[in-house]
Amino acid sequence: VSSPSLKNTDSEITEDNMSANEQKDGREQDENPGLKLIHADVQLLSLKQTDEKTVTLTPPDVSLVLDKVSSSTQADVLPPTQTLPPVSSVKDQLSSTYRADEEAEIQTVPAVKSVLCQLSPNCKVNLLKMSAESWSSFRSLCVKETAEDEDADWVLGGLQVEGSSAVRLDGEVGLGELVVAWNKEDQMFYRVVVVRKHHTDEGFNYATLSIDFGKEENYSSTDLRRCWEGVSGYPALGINVESEVNLSKEVMAELDMLGKEGLTMEVTTCSNKEVILTREIKGEMFRWTAKSVVSEREACQPINFLIPPPPLPPVSSPLPLTPGLHTVFLLSADSPASLSICSMSQYSMLITTMLPTIQSLATTSYPVSVPVQDSLVLVSYGDMWHRAKLVMVSTNHILARLVDLGHTITVTQDMLRQIAQPAVRSWPAVAVPCVMAEWVGMARDREMLDTMRNTWGTDMGKLVSEFQQVEVRVLSVDDAGLHVVHVPAWEGIVKRGGGLQF
């Protein structure tokens, strides 16, 4: 059995100071007597629950676990189980089928800036509204009111000339792709973005959105042209316009009369994403909000690989025992300087709730593709799954500390699974690290711990078999959570110098 994590020992584990015991495969460590008893308890509980037709336990609320454990460190009471929704599968959340040929909406993000980016307060624009729409909410071509607007001139003139010699499509168009479409009814070329598509007997049919007029039209493959150089260099002129108030019939009629050939409005405030437009009608000022018909790509900041990644979420520390006498469960013992215990109430929680839930979670969890040091994972150990912290990850070896049993074992990548459920991640570690008072000076020396494990390993295994439940007196707890204990039942049995005296 390997050493539990003591003060500052996790960070000091290296490939060079790994003992021979740690370099054995984790699967060879099933002979631990404490682990055998734990597995037997879980199996008995499972059989009992099957006979009584009970429902599989699911994770309790973490706050309830903390309340119950902290209030019963001296009581051997089985905590009542709590029920949460069953463990959800990550696969279930990702089970929606991708259908490229179906009519699937996507966000339109062509690599074209909006004309709104070129506007400034107090400038004027001319709106060419689609005739069938109301002045309260409409789509429009937005033309800057200047002596010469090159953008509008190109869309209304240059695009029509250049499109006549453009190359037709020779393949499939992707969703969100910018292309040029020939509209047979209007006898015009439009810059459009593909928002939906579906397959027909004659090929693909594309639903598109005009980035300059906001019109939605369907086109076949023969109507579309690949973009040529310069097509994306002109801003998208299409905008969606919404009035800030309900417009009366009289105001609507006045706007219809004024806007037959386009309506001039003044820009009052503007940003890259929206502008406020105003127009005086019959002595009253009205306001509209204008936004681009397409969403622009967000500018991505370059990644600075010199900045270290954010720290991993810490593994919840075991709940400390208060100074005084406690009846505890002995989880593991490598030597008198390296023990792992837990309160009886926490042991009951481990057997009745935590381990059954972890087994259920492991059946739907994804394998760990890239082991990361200090991360919390599930580890297959002794025919069961357990929570573990990866205390060392190198090219040749992975060491995992089983946070609920206290062992540190060698594992391989195929023995690891991800922990997807936050409640399982946030449970406090069960194994409480301890050192017997007579050996407290050796608990922080890694080399000494390895030597003592080799000397005491077999005898401590016998001790765990004989004393699964034992009374200990907690003398002190340091800042790292290491408990200094005295075991009255071991007086005269565990002595300095090695060996047991039964």
Side-chain angles (χ1 to χ4, degrees), residues 45 49 54-62 64-65 68 79-89 348-361 421-424 427:
L45 176 66
Q49 290 176 339
T54 55
V55 182
T56 301
L57 293 168
T58 53
D61 189 293
V62 176
L64 296 176
V65 177
K68 291 185 178 298
T81 59
Q82 307 292 331
T83 303
L84 283 183
V87 179
S88 60
S89 168
S348 296
M349 184 67 70
L350 174 67
I351 298 302
T352 62
T353 302
M354 297 174 70
L355 285 178
T357 299
I358 289 170
Q359 308 318 302
S360 176
L361 178 64
Q421 194 177 57
V424 175
W427 278 331

Side-chain angles (χ1 to χ4, degrees), residues 295-500:
S295 301
E296 295 185 26
R297 288 191 174 97
E298 295 291 339
C300 297
Q301 295 297 325
I303 299 174
N304 186 352
F305 292 99
L306 298 179
I307 299 177
L312 293 168
V315 179
S316 298
S317 301
L319 299 175
L321 300 176
T322 57
L325 205 59
H326 299 270
T327 299
V328 300
F329 187 91
L330 183 59
L331 294 168
S332 65
D334 293 331
S335 71
S338 178
L339 313 172
S340 291
I341 64 174
C342 69
S343 66
M344 296 307 299
S345 60
Q346 188 72 329
Y347 178 72
S348 296
M349 184 67 70
L350 174 67
I351 298 302
T352 62
T353 302
M354 297 174 70
L355 285 178
T357 299
I358 289 170
Q359 308 318 302
S360 176
L361 178 64
T363 61
T364 58
S365 296
Y366 284 107
V368 173
S369 57
V370 180
V372 178
Q373 188 161 314
D374 294 330
S375 61
L376 188 66
V377 298
L378 296 181
V379 167
S380 177
Y381 175 61
D383 297 326
M384 293 188 71
W385 291 93
H386 300 272
R387 297 189 304 166
K389 178 182 179 182
L390 301 183
V391 296
M392 193 197 80
V393 176
S394 70
T395 305
N396 301 320
H397 297 284
I398 303 176
L399 289 183
R401 178 171 59 84
L402 307 180
V403 298
D404 299 318
L405 301 182
H407 318 319
T408 299
I409 63 173
T410 301
V411 297
T412 55
Q413 187 171 336
D414 63 302
M415 299 167 62
L416 309 180
R417 294 288 184 273
Q418 300 177 21
I419 299 181
Q421 194 177 57
V424 175
R425 296 186 62 87
S426 59
W427 278 331
V430 173
V432 176
C434 300
V435 56
M436 295 183 66
E438 296 86 344
W439 284 267
V440 67
M442 304 176 183
R444 296 171 180 82
D445 188 320
R446 179 71 190 178
E447 185 176 348
M448 182 63 70
L449 286 175
D450 290 339
T451 300
M452 291 187 66
R453 178 171 51 251
N454 295 332
T455 303
W456 286 87
T458 302
D459 287 340
M460 297 307 289
K462 297 177 182 177
L463 205 61
V464 171
S465 299
E466 293 289 331
F467 295 92
Q468 285 283 226
Q469 296 184 30
V470 66
E471 197 172 64
V472 303
R473 183 177 299 279
V474 177
L475 303 178
S476 63
V477 183
D478 68 12
D479 294 339
L482 179 64
H483 290 53
V484 179
V485 300
H486 172 68
V487 186
W490 291 358
E491 289 185 1
I493 298 178
V494 181
K495 296 182 177 181
R496 295 293 293 266
L500 302 182

Side-chain angles (χ1 to χ4, degrees), residues 10-237:
D10 282 352
S11 60
E12 296 170 3
I13 297 177
T14 65
E15 215 169 340
D16 293 335
N17 66 17
M18 286 169 53
S19 67
N21 289 344
E22 287 172 332
Q23 296 181 28
K24 295 179 182 178
D25 192 292
R27 297 184 180 89
E28 299 175 2
Q29 311 216 16
D30 297 345
E31 298 304 319
N32 172 37
L35 181 63
K36 285 185 175 181
L37 183 60
I38 291 173
H39 288 188
D41 287 346
V42 173
Q43 292 170 359
L44 287 174
L45 176 66
S46 178
L47 291 173
K48 181 180 178 182
Q49 290 176 339
T50 302
D51 293 339
E52 297 175 355
K53 297 182 179 181
T54 55
V55 182
T56 301
L57 293 168
T58 53
D61 189 293
V62 176
S63 62
L64 296 176
V65 177
L66 295 175
D67 291 342
K68 291 185 178 298
V69 174
S70 62
S71 63
S72 56
T73 54
Q74 296 183 353
D76 303 343
V77 180
L78 176 66
T81 59
Q82 307 292 331
T83 303
L84 283 183
V87 179
S88 60
S89 168
V90 178
K91 294 180 180 178
D92 292 340
Q93 300 172 12
L94 301 176
S95 62
S96 58
T97 305
Y98 173 72
R99 299 172 296 176
D101 295 345
E102 298 295 329
E103 295 186 0
E105 287 280 0
I106 68 159
Q107 185 182 16
T108 54
V109 284
V112 178
K113 289 185 175 297
S114 169
V115 66
L116 300 182
C117 298
Q118 300 180 346
L119 303 182
S120 59
N122 302 319
C123 75
K124 292 184 179 181
V125 295
N126 195 272
L127 305 187
L128 302 177
K129 178 178 73 71
M130 295 180 65
S131 58
E133 296 182 342
S134 165
W135 287 101
S136 295
S137 177
F138 60 94
R139 292 165 291 174
S140 172
L141 179 80
C142 180
V143 180
K144 300 186 296 293
E145 196 171 80
T146 59
E148 185 176 342
D149 187 343
E150 294 181 357
D151 300 328
D153 289 345
W154 182 84
V155 169
L156 298 175
L159 175 61
Q160 311 311 312
V161 175
E162 296 174 15
S164 61
S165 58
V167 178
R168 296 195 179 193
L169 285 174
D170 56 359
E172 183 182 350
V173 181
L175 296 177
E177 187 173 346
L178 180 67
V179 292
V180 174
W182 170 247
N183 189 294
K184 298 174 183 177
E185 183 178 349
D186 296 342
Q187 291 292 294
M188 286 188 64
F189 285 103
Y190 294 106
R191 294 187 297 172
V192 299
V193 172
V194 176
V195 294
R196 295 184 301 277
K197 64 179 180 178
H198 64 271
H199 193 271
T200 67
D201 294 338
E202 299 178 354
F204 281 96
N205 188 279
Y206 299 95
T208 68
L209 174 68
S210 167
I211 68 173
D212 296 311
F213 294 86
K215 295 173 59 177
E216 296 178 359
E217 294 281 354
N218 290 331
Y219 296 100
S220 66
S221 298
T222 58
D223 298 324
L224 302 183
R225 311 288 188 269
R226 291 286 181 189
C227 287
W228 56 92
E229 185 178 359
V231 169
S232 61
Y234 294 89
L237 303 184

Side-chain angles (χ1 to χ4, degrees), residues 192-303:
V192 299
V193 172
V194 176
V195 294
R196 295 184 301 277
K197 64 179 180 178
H198 64 271
H199 193 271
T200 67
D201 294 338
E202 299 178 354
F204 281 96
N205 188 279
Y206 299 95
T208 68
L209 174 68
S210 167
I211 68 173
D212 296 311
F213 294 86
K215 295 173 59 177
E216 296 178 359
E217 294 281 354
N218 290 331
Y219 296 100
S220 66
S221 298
T222 58
D223 298 324
L224 302 183
R225 311 288 188 269
R226 291 286 181 189
C227 287
W228 56 92
E229 185 178 359
V231 169
S232 61
Y234 294 89
L237 303 184
I239 58 174
N240 290 320
V241 186
E242 300 278 344
S243 64
E244 295 187 351
V245 297
N246 292 326
L247 302 178
S248 66
K249 292 182 179 179
E250 292 78 9
V251 172
M252 290 279 201
E254 182 71 12
L255 288 169
D256 285 337
M257 183 181 67
L258 296 174
K260 287 181 180 180
E261 301 296 330
L263 184 68
T264 299
M265 292 189 180
E266 183 174 348
V267 176
T268 56
T269 61
C270 59
S271 68
N272 288 341
K273 294 185 178 181
E274 68 176 38
V275 301
I276 303 299
L277 305 174
T278 60
R279 172 76 189 218
E280 184 178 348
I281 307 295
K282 291 188 174 182
E284 185 177 356
M285 193 66 71
F286 292 88
R287 291 162 54 98
W288 288 261
T289 300
K291 298 180 180 180
S292 176
V293 296
V294 294
S295 301
E296 295 185 26
R297 288 191 174 97
E298 295 291 339
C300 297
Q301 295 297 325
I303 299 174

